[in-house]
Amino acid sequence: MVEAPAPDPERLSTLESSWNSRLLGVLEEAGWLEGASETLMGWLQPLLAAPGAARVKDLLHGRWLGHALHPVLTDAPIGFWMGAAVLDLAGQEFAAGLLSGAGSASAVATAVTGLADWTVTDGRERRLGLLHGLVNVAGLCLQVASLGARLQGRRGAAKSLSYAGLGVSSAAAYLGGELVFGRGLMVNHDAWTAGPDEWTPVLPSPQLPERVTRRVDLRGHSVLVYREAGRVYAMEDACAHAGGPLSEGEVEDGVVTCPWHGSRFRLKDGAVMRGPATFPQLRLQARERQGQIEVRGRKG
Ligand code: FES
């Protein structure tokens, strides 16, 4: 009897578990995506480092909205293009052309927000995100070609290109869904954490000097504790953006900066002062009692 090969310990188990995860595994490990990602990041670097870029990025990430902006906008082009396809089937070609144009215009705005989110990804997510973007660009090109054919009165070609574009964009949407629901990209990494109801000692007081960040273990997950001007602060250590260790970040003026992509959170209330995070950081209550730093989950 032939024994099944031993699983590769270096390979994520999620890439082996189903046909679609195996397919995605092949795609996201493609070497050319890594090279293309580096090239694109090189091109974007001057823009990302330009004065005022942080504010523009915050706008594009959706910090003002309280969650990621890109997924909100993705409904627009898909909805317009789907409407155009239905109207084409119904023989309403002028109206279909209007929706097709609106879909292509909204796709450009959607792509810009997606590109902003992509610049704060790493590794597999960055490669899969680039593939998602490239497939979307292909879908947009087909829709623009469809619009051009409509304007030239080539109705058959316009419809075919529109249907093909919709199919390609749907494949890109699948990859986008995998990034959000399968990988947790731009979702709140602290969404299911609440902290204990009762005060729990986490550190002897002398081990928390003023203005020094410490990571402590609270029932199996990490919490950042910090003391300044006699007040003790505590918040989830895993950054709400992508889980970066806030305890390894700098604190300045009561604001901690994530070492991974630079999100900034106010210690007193967890508010996001700068993205790419769009969700506030979960804060816990903290105090010093009988020589111990104690923490508990926030009430309300
Ligand atoms: S993990 Fe991305 S900013 Fe913290």
Side-chain angles (χ1 to χ4, degrees):
M1 195 173 119
V2 181
E3 282 192 17
D8 179 353
E10 296 293 314
R11 199 168 157 78
L12 300 181
S13 59
T14 49
L15 297 180
E16 308 279 1
S17 57
S18 61
W19 68 267
N20 51 337
S21 53
R22 282 195 293 275
L23 174 64
L24 287 172
V26 170
L27 292 173
E28 69 183 18
E29 286 177 3
W32 67 271
L33 280 174
E34 185 65 39
S37 295
E38 280 171 19
T39 304
L40 182 53
M41 277 305 289
W43 290 344
L44 292 173
Q45 214 52 53
L47 276 180
L48 297 173
R55 276 198 200 150
V56 176
K57 281 191 290 179
D58 268 5
L59 186 75
L60 297 174
H61 289 310
R63 181 167 78 89
W64 56 276
L65 187 63
H67 63 83
L69 176 60
H70 178 66
V72 177
L73 296 184
T74 55
D75 287 357
I78 289 282
F80 282 131
W81 289 333
M82 207 164 271
V86 171
L87 288 170
D88 269 334
L89 284 174
Q92 302 289 322
E93 284 154 9
F94 179 74
L98 286 180
L99 288 195
S100 170
S104 296
S106 61
V108 173
T110 307
V112 174
T113 57
L115 188 63
D117 289 353
W118 179 80
T119 61
V120 286
T121 55
D122 309 282
R124 292 172 183 278
E125 283 70 35
R126 173 163 291 185
R127 293 195 292 274
L128 200 58
L130 180 63
L131 187 63
H132 164 69
L134 291 174
V135 178
N136 263 321
V137 168
L140 175 59
C141 288
L142 286 165
Q143 294 290 352
V144 171
S146 164
L147 199 55
R150 280 181 207 280
L151 293 173
Q152 293 166 2
R154 295 186 293 125
R155 292 175 181 170
K159 287 182 189 177
S160 302
L161 286 164
S162 168
Y163 297 144
L166 189 57
V168 170
S169 297
S170 301
Y174 176 87
L175 295 176
E178 170 66 20
L179 283 166
V180 175
F181 300 111
R183 316 299 169 90
L185 196 67
M186 298 302 283
V187 303
N188 184 359
H189 281 241
D190 297 330
W192 293 274
T193 316
D197 285 341
E198 66 281 2
W199 288 107
T200 308
V202 290
L203 192 72
S205 296
Q207 292 182 25
L208 185 64
E210 283 269 316
R211 294 172 171 267
V212 174
T213 54
R214 285 272 186 268
R215 181 174 65 82
V216 296
D217 180 78
L218 180 65
R219 300 185 176 175
H221 67 266
S222 298
V223 168
L224 156 73
V225 287
Y226 181 80
R227 190 209 302 261
E228 186 166 343
R231 181 171 171 186
V232 182
Y233 301 90
M235 62 169 43
E236 279 297 318
D237 192 41
C239 172
H241 171 237
L246 294 183
S247 54
E248 294 176 20
E250 300 283 322
V251 176
E252 198 182 332
D253 297 332
V255 174
V256 61
T257 301
C258 177
W260 282 9
H261 311 111
S263 289
R264 305 186 75 219
F265 302 98
R266 196 161 54 197
L267 286 166
K268 71 174 185 181
D269 57 6
V272 190
M273 308 306 288
R274 193 177 76 197
T278 55
F279 296 99
Q281 191 67 14
L282 187 78
R283 192 170 70 81
L284 296 100
Q285 292 182 320
R287 70 181 186 186
E288 185 176 4
R289 282 286 188 286
Q290 298 173 342
Q292 290 284 330
I293 302 297
E294 296 181 342
V295 165
R296 73 173 178 184
R298 281 187 60 75
K299 304 281 178 287

